[in-house]
Each structure stands twice: as C-alpha cells, then as structure tokens.
Amino acid sequence: MTGFSSPSLTATDLMLLERTIELSEASRDSGNHPFGALLADEAGHILIESGNSSARDRGIGHAELNVSREAARRFTPEFLLSCTLVTSVEPCCMCAGSVYWAGIGRLVYGMSEKRLAILTGDNPENLTMNMPCRQVFEAGQRKVCVAGPADTLEGRIIRAHQGFW
C-alpha cells in the first residue's frame, strides 16, 4: 500500500499555480470549462500545458487528463517520477487516476474539489464526486506526493468560475 505526503507549497508551486489560473481563464474564454493544468520538471520548467477541452471532448476533456496523457506519450516513467502535475483545482478521481497511471510523482492543486462542488452545485456538466485525490492515490501501490490546496489563491480561482456554472 502506498502513502502520500502533504508538504507545504513552495514559491515555485505558487508561481506554477498562477499559470494554471491563466490557463483556466483562457480555457473559459475559448468556450471550455475553466480549468488549467501543466507538467513541470524538478526545476520548475513547464513541459506541457493544457486547458479543459470540454467543447471537443465533453465529459473527459479535463485539463489534468490532457496533460497526463501527453506526458505519458512524451516522457519515460523514470523521468515522470521526478515531475509535478500542477492544476488549478484538485483533480477528480478520473484525473487523479491518470496522474497515477502516467507515473507522475507529484501533484499540486489550487482549490479543493469540495470547494468546487459548492460553486458548481448540481450542474450536469460538472457533477463532482466526493472522492479527494489523496484517497485515490492512497488506494494505489505507488506513492504520489500531494500539495494543496493553495488558500491564498482560492479567490482568483473562484473568479474564473463565477458566472460559468
């Protein structure tokens, strides 16, 4: 059985989270759901970025899934263990699974999925599940380090969602 740790967010994490908020705003502006994600290497260099692609991919066009899928195509499992997937909102169980199966070693998120559920309510385009990403990772055999939420950025993340749902 794997474990997870919940370290503090670093200055680099916060900078990368700011970028995911920009991606979520651009995603919304392009007619997609307001979510953004990226993959960064150990030094914090951005390797892959994606917004949500719901306009094309409907329910599975999540930003984290898009990044995880591309990461698995482009990089070796050994390299991905040292990488971080950064996302504006805590990944759903599908996206947490994609991080796990891609072999990405660390996850950073801005706002919790519980908070997102309050914003989206029962909107049929985002029927959140009450399954935190840490619970998904805890069920696995490989460790995924998790940091989040970033309380100092929640207001900005919420603004990207206001009036959308």
Side-chain angles (χ1 to χ4, degrees), residues 1-7 132-139 142-147:
M1 173 77 64
T2 184
F4 61 83
S5 60
S6 186
C133 68
R134 286 176 171 90
Q135 183 179 347
V136 174
F137 297 138
E138 185 65 29
R142 185 178 48 74
K143 180 181 178 178
V144 177
C145 182
V146 179

Side-chain angles (χ1 to χ4, degrees), residues 3-105:
F4 61 83
S5 60
S6 186
S8 299
L9 294 164
T10 67
T12 299
D13 293 338
L14 294 172
M15 177 194 67
L16 293 170
L17 279 166
E18 291 276 354
R19 178 63 186 145
T20 67
I21 296 167
E22 292 169 2
L23 291 167
S24 70
E25 293 164 344
S27 184
R28 178 182 176 153
D29 291 346
S30 68
N32 290 289
H33 295 172
F35 300 96
L38 61 82
L39 182 74
D41 67 13
E42 265 186 303
H45 300 113
I46 297 172
L47 306 172
I48 300 170
E49 295 181 327
S50 182
N52 180 280
S53 58
S54 60
R56 179 187 69 227
D57 299 323
R58 298 183 23 191
I60 60 169
H62 295 196
E64 303 91 344
L65 181 60
N66 294 339
V67 170
S68 295
R69 184 183 301 114
E70 184 63 23
R73 286 184 190 133
R74 288 177 46 189
F75 302 110
T76 66
E78 295 78 20
F79 178 72
L80 289 174
L81 278 174
S82 68
C83 291
T84 301
L85 189 140
V86 183
T87 181
S88 56
V89 176
E90 180 179 9
C92 70
C93 59
M94 174 182 71
C95 292
S98 75
V99 169
Y100 178 84
W101 287 108
I104 298 166

Side-chain angles (χ1 to χ4, degrees), residues 113-122 128:
E113 189 173 20
K114 281 189 181 281
R115 184 67 176 103
L116 176 65
I118 293 167
L119 294 175
T120 62
D122 63 356
T128 61

